[in-house]
Amino acid sequence: MFALQLDESTDVSGEAQVIVFVRYQDCSDIRENILFCQNLLSRTTGEELFKVIDKFFAEGGILWDWCLSVCSDGAAALTGKNNGLMAWIRKKNPKVKWLHCIIHRQALASKRMNAHLHEILNEAVKVINFIKARPLNSRMFKLLCQEMGSEHQHLLLHTEVRWLSRGKILNRLFELRQEVHMFLLEQKSAFSSLFENQDWVCRLAYLADIFDKLNDLNLSMQGFRTDELSLNSKMCAFIKKLEFWLKKVQRNSVSVFPTLDKFADDSEIDNLNTICDCIREDLTKLRDELVSYFPSIMNQDRTQDWIQNPFVEDVTSSSGLSDKLTENLIELASDRALELKFQNVTVSQFWLEVKGEYKELSEIAMSALLPFGSTYLCEVSFSAMSLIKTKHRNRLSVQNDLIIAVSDIEPRFDNILAKKQPQVPH
């Protein structure tokens, strides 16, 4: 069995590159690595993507029947019911499961905010662009920060495609709000009035806090060897924290938002109730958006809890397994030696170690642990590609270089060098 993670993007020379990662099980643990990177010669349709992958499988003797799941973003070329990549894959194997990248869904949900707060975000970006987009303004602002002894001397530019961009730029802008206000006054900019509006600054502080929390969630879901079960747990915890923040704000308390709370204490805000109403509306909208993107999380399905920890008390009561497998799970959960072993290895290592004795339980567990939960590895690879293939090397065939850059398998240098002819002196 194996699971795939794939994404497609255009490099600096305009060529469409498709990257595919694979996760599979070996004797002792789950492994994940780049499967291939290839450029698409024509359109980036689902059919063309399928042809590239299917050709690679045919040449390598890989069967689609072995594929458990495919993780990607929600682009129509990948998910279309008739001509999308998944439609073509399911013609080969109807049982293949499609997973929409959890990090991508979280980023989409966080974009839809309260209209008034969205306007404040746009105004903040305009202020930053006024300073950063003009080299002279940027230099003068740096000198002002140096004269005032500021911890930071630069603002950060907003990049829509970067997941963590908004949280970082808002935090930096709020930290340098006094310096920015003074600079805008010197430049006689109309934006200076924004920082004289206490209500506007309060909402800016809230945006800095909430996007900082979203950034923490985003970062916690990034990384290698993450599975769908663990990522869903993190998302479920965040939604529960949202409920807790809502209850605090409904009591006109902003203690859960440290930046806003400190500013409110220092500035003695009079209209905190109005600001709390705005925050409550935004938190409610964010919660509803997350629930709409993650409906299964809120259903509290406990049938897979035994996979993550088979030794929890009463875990068999909600396992959803057949009578025979439930008896096997009870036997496994009662084995003290296996419980001690479970504490010293990863979940995937544990289920592979007990495969000989509990084969069916192990196979069910591995089918849940193998699927990718996000396209993080593809995103990392595209970042590596932008460093390898630049505008000065735009004719470079990046496939082999990229595989070496992102793979954790050591290249067989002896074999590589044996195929090269040395240049001897004449």
Side-chain angles (χ1 to χ4, degrees):
M1 296 187 295
F2 65 86
L4 298 178
Q5 170 191 150
L6 59 92
D7 201 358
E8 174 269 326
S9 185
T10 304
D11 61 27
V12 69
S13 64
E15 291 185 346
Q17 304 283 352
V18 57
I19 296 177
V20 180
F21 274 80
V22 63
R23 177 180 283 168
Y24 56 95
Q25 59 185 20
D26 66 5
C27 298
S28 60
D29 201 359
I30 288 176
R31 307 293 180 191
E32 60 186 21
N33 218 306
I34 185 169
L35 190 62
F36 68 85
C37 170
Q38 290 190 22
N39 62 316
L40 299 173
L41 301 178
S42 57
R43 299 177 182 272
T44 57
T45 61
E47 183 179 2
E48 293 301 321
L49 286 167
F50 174 76
K51 287 180 179 177
V52 171
I53 302 172
D54 190 53
K55 180 181 178 182
F56 182 89
F57 278 17
E59 292 174 350
I62 304 171
L63 301 180
W64 280 107
D65 292 339
W66 302 340
C67 183
L68 282 176
S69 69
V70 175
C71 181
S72 69
D73 60 24
L78 300 172
T79 62
K81 293 182 180 180
N82 298 320
N83 295 313
L85 173 63
M86 288 307 302
W88 286 93
I89 291 177
R90 285 180 175 138
K91 292 178 182 179
K92 293 283 187 176
N93 182 0
K95 296 181 180 179
V96 174
K97 179 183 177 182
W98 174 71
L99 296 171
H100 188 179
C101 171
I102 291 179
I103 302 178
H104 186 241
R105 279 185 281 168
Q106 177 265 317
L108 289 174
S110 63
K111 283 186 176 182
R112 295 169 180 165
M113 62 178 73
N114 174 280
H116 186 53
L117 291 174
H118 192 268
E119 181 182 353
I120 290 175
L121 174 62
N122 290 336
E123 289 171 341
V125 171
K126 290 178 182 178
V127 170
I128 294 170
N129 289 341
F130 176 78
I131 298 175
K132 291 289 292 181
R134 298 171 174 84
L136 177 60
N137 284 355
S138 186
R139 294 196 300 270
M140 297 300 293
F141 181 73
K142 179 181 178 180
L143 290 175
L144 176 64
C145 292
Q146 290 175 345
E147 292 173 1
M148 297 181 66
S150 306
E151 182 180 355
H152 302 291
Q153 299 174 4
H154 298 281
L155 295 174
L156 303 176
L157 275 174
H158 176 247
T159 306
E160 186 65 28
V161 297
R162 293 186 181 272
W163 287 330
L164 309 180
S165 179
R166 281 180 288 182
K168 290 183 177 180
I169 66 133
L170 291 173
N171 271 294
R172 181 64 61 85
L173 178 62
F174 187 83
E175 290 176 12
L176 297 175
R177 63 188 184 281
Q178 294 178 347
E179 292 85 343
V180 171
H181 182 218
M182 186 176 297
F183 179 80
L184 294 175
L185 286 174
E186 292 178 356
Q187 298 295 318
K188 298 180 180 180
S189 170
F191 291 129
S192 62
S193 62
L194 296 175
F195 294 88
E196 297 166 3
N197 185 340
Q198 190 181 68
D199 186 78
W200 190 91
V201 178
C202 282
R203 285 168 166 77
L204 177 66
Y206 162 72
L207 286 176
D209 279 326
I210 191 62
F211 280 115
D212 193 46
K213 293 179 183 295
L214 286 167
N215 281 1
D216 290 340
L217 171 65
N218 196 298
L219 286 170
S220 70
M221 294 192 295
Q222 295 181 31
F224 301 91
R225 295 175 178 83
T226 57
D227 57 80
E228 184 187 13
L229 297 181
S230 62
L231 295 185
N232 280 339
S233 298
K234 294 179 186 296
M235 182 55 64
C236 182
F238 185 82
I239 294 176
K240 289 180 179 178
K241 285 191 284 186
L242 264 176
E243 298 284 357
F244 169 68
W245 301 336
L246 265 171
K247 291 178 181 178
K248 295 285 288 186
V249 174
Q250 285 170 353
R251 296 195 293 267
N252 292 329
S253 170
V254 293
S255 59
V256 292
F257 303 110
T259 305
L260 175 59
D261 188 43
K262 186 176 185 305
F263 180 75
D265 289 341
D266 296 342
S267 306
E268 298 181 357
I269 300 172
D270 298 326
N271 61 335
L272 186 60
N273 293 350
T274 305
I275 293 171
C276 285
D277 289 340
C278 180
I279 294 174
R280 184 169 60 251
E281 181 183 343
D282 185 62
L283 291 177
T284 303
K285 188 174 183 62
L286 177 59
R287 179 198 59 191
D288 293 343
E289 289 293 332
L290 287 173
V291 170
S292 68
Y293 275 99
F294 300 92
S296 60
I297 290 179
M298 303 311 296
N299 293 337
Q300 296 296 320
D301 183 8
R302 317 294 298 186
T303 57
Q304 292 185 316
D305 286 358
W306 63 272
I307 297 174
Q308 295 176 297
N309 190 348
F311 300 100
V312 176
E313 187 176 354
D314 295 331
V315 72
T316 57
S317 61
S318 59
S319 64
L321 298 171
S322 65
D323 293 343
K324 179 183 177 181
L325 291 179
T326 301
E327 291 175 1
N328 290 342
L329 181 58
I330 293 173
E331 182 182 335
L332 182 149
S334 304
D335 192 322
R336 180 60 179 166
L338 290 179
E339 186 176 0
L340 293 173
K341 180 180 292 185
F342 181 80
Q343 298 172 1
N344 298 317
V345 296
T346 64
V347 176
S348 56
Q349 286 175 334
F350 172 80
W351 284 112
L352 284 174
E353 286 189 16
V354 301
K355 187 174 182 178
E357 190 173 357
Y358 302 99
K359 182 179 179 181
E360 292 181 90
L361 288 176
S362 176
E363 289 179 350
I364 295 173
M366 293 309 296
S367 66
L369 295 172
L370 270 177
F372 288 101
S374 73
T375 58
Y376 171 79
L377 299 178
C378 290
E379 299 296 340
V380 170
S381 300
F382 286 127
S383 297
M385 182 186 297
S386 66
L387 297 176
I388 296 172
K389 191 171 184 177
T390 65
K391 64 179 182 179
H392 301 295
R393 298 190 296 177
N394 56 19
R395 297 184 66 183
L396 179 69
S397 180
V398 74
Q399 289 79 12
N400 293 332
D401 297 304
L402 181 67
I403 290 174
I404 293 176
V406 302
S407 175
D408 58 3
I409 298 176
E410 185 178 352
R412 297 170 181 169
F413 288 109
D414 292 338
N415 292 353
I416 295 173
L417 294 175
K419 297 177 182 178
K420 302 295 181 181
Q421 180 179 355
Q423 296 294 326
V424 297
H426 296 286

